[in-house]
Amino acid sequence: MNTSEPLPGAPLSLEGKAALMERALASASVSILFQDQTLAIRHADNLPDHLRPSLVVGGNDLHLFGEKDGEHLLRLKRGVLESGKPATAEVEIPSGDGIRVYELKMERIGGRKPQGVLSVISEITESRHREKVLKSLLRELSHRSKNLLAIIQGIATQTARHTLSVDNFLIKFRGRLQSLSNSQDLITDSSWRGAYLFELAEKQFAPYWPDAGVPMPIYGINAHLTPNAAVHLGLALHELIVNSASHGAISVGATSITLNCKEAELDGRKAIEVAWSERFYTPGNHEFEDNSFSRTVLERVVPTSMNGRADFAMGDGSIGYRLTIPETEYEILRRR
């Protein structure tokens, strides 16, 4: 249809146009307010229910919007009358279900001979709420990104300090960075709420587990960890798994490893204990010398990051690691 040409048929009557306009305003949640040159209210259409009792024909914005917003709007509208330049303002109005936010777009009517000010009022409560939520999320994202960058910087610095060649540094740093990325994927997928312990462990095991047909040795309570706990426990698991894949049980195809989570106590408060137990039967070098970065991660960095406690023990044919995590860093939402 060519809408640039007049539509066929009889034209709408004035009453018909008015009815259509009222219906359009109502469906769009738009209100119309007309004030004369003295800014006295002369006409209002489709006002929200909680504004209607305040409407006084012949009154002004003070009656309709209250003293604070009314004074502000009167100043703006006087400026619109004098300059002819449109203005926009927002007001917050209490209602039965909370605070409602409205936007007023104000224009002078009458050209060179102004007759008054026409205000188009539309509710923007939901859009303002979304903006606040978005700003809050962006602030949280910024905070978490800075924390993540600090962790990456620490990993890079300590990895470099404990490696003797660029090639060795790249191998270890990439592995640790991938571990961090795997944990972060789970956290992001949960809208930054954290990650389940079992899913986190499976994600860390997956690149190194020798037999996809053999279940990964993860038992006990599938606690839901905070983002902070998930990131740091992921780093601890990475160090244990990489060592096992390089020198321990995984390296010879054995599955003599268990990762078990059970309820515990820490300083008289509820906690969980995540315990790694590994047995192996081939001698070899390990990543866990006293001053190694791996050992520092397990014994200091990870427990300190979550105000927990860690115990690490290594014998001739075994490695044991117990990490106690306080209740502030987890929830038990489901058991498995």
Side-chain angles (χ1 to χ4, degrees), residues 210-222:
D211 188 349
V214 176
M216 295 177 189
I218 308 167
Y219 307 100
I221 300 169
N222 191 14

Side-chain angles (χ1 to χ4, degrees), residues 21-198:
M21 182 62 72
E22 287 183 10
R23 188 179 302 171
L25 289 174
S27 62
S29 299
V30 174
S31 308
I32 299 294
L33 183 68
F34 176 71
Q35 293 159 272
D36 63 20
Q37 289 177 284
T38 68
L39 297 180
I41 297 172
R42 295 304 174 192
H43 176 76
D45 209 344
N46 196 41
L47 282 180
D49 291 340
H50 46 278
L51 274 182
R52 288 175 188 169
S54 304
L55 176 65
V56 177
V57 176
N60 57 33
D61 295 272
L62 295 172
H63 299 94
L64 191 57
F65 297 106
E67 186 173 347
K68 180 181 176 182
D69 288 325
E71 287 285 2
H72 176 60
L73 292 173
L74 285 173
R75 285 195 299 271
L76 288 177
K77 291 176 181 179
R78 291 189 191 103
V80 170
L81 278 173
E82 292 171 5
S83 67
K85 294 180 180 179
T88 303
E90 292 182 13
V91 295
E92 295 183 352
I93 301 171
S95 68
D97 57 352
I99 300 295
R100 314 302 295 178
V101 185
Y102 292 89
E103 180 182 68
L104 283 78
K105 294 184 177 179
M106 300 160 280
E107 294 186 13
R108 187 173 74 181
I109 301 298
R112 294 182 179 179
K113 295 182 179 180
Q115 300 172 5
V117 175
L118 181 69
S119 300
V120 178
I121 306 171
S122 54
E123 185 171 354
I124 56 171
T125 305
E126 295 304 320
S127 63
R128 285 296 172 267
H129 175 69
R130 286 193 294 269
E131 285 180 11
K132 288 180 180 179
V133 170
L134 180 58
K135 287 179 181 178
S136 176
L137 288 174
L138 288 174
R139 283 195 297 270
E140 180 69 11
L141 179 60
S142 175
H143 173 71
R144 293 187 183 277
S145 297
K146 289 176 182 177
N147 286 345
L148 196 57
L149 287 172
I151 293 171
I152 293 170
Q153 184 179 24
I155 289 173
T157 301
Q158 294 300 323
T159 302
R161 185 173 295 171
H162 291 87
T163 52
L164 301 177
S165 70
V166 173
D167 288 344
N168 194 20
F169 165 79
L170 290 175
I171 291 170
K172 290 187 176 183
F173 181 66
R174 284 171 181 163
R176 287 162 179 160
L177 204 59
Q178 186 59 54
S179 165
L180 195 61
S181 174
N182 289 339
S183 301
Q184 199 62 41
D185 283 345
L186 293 174
I187 294 168
T188 304
D189 289 345
S190 72
S191 300
W192 297 89
R193 289 190 295 271
Y196 282 100
L197 171 61
F198 286 16

Side-chain angles (χ1 to χ4, degrees), residues 198-218:
F198 286 16
E199 283 82 345
L200 177 71
E202 288 166 359
K203 196 91 167 175
Q204 297 296 335
F205 265 116
Y208 305 95
W209 195 243
D211 188 349
V214 176
M216 295 177 189
I218 308 167

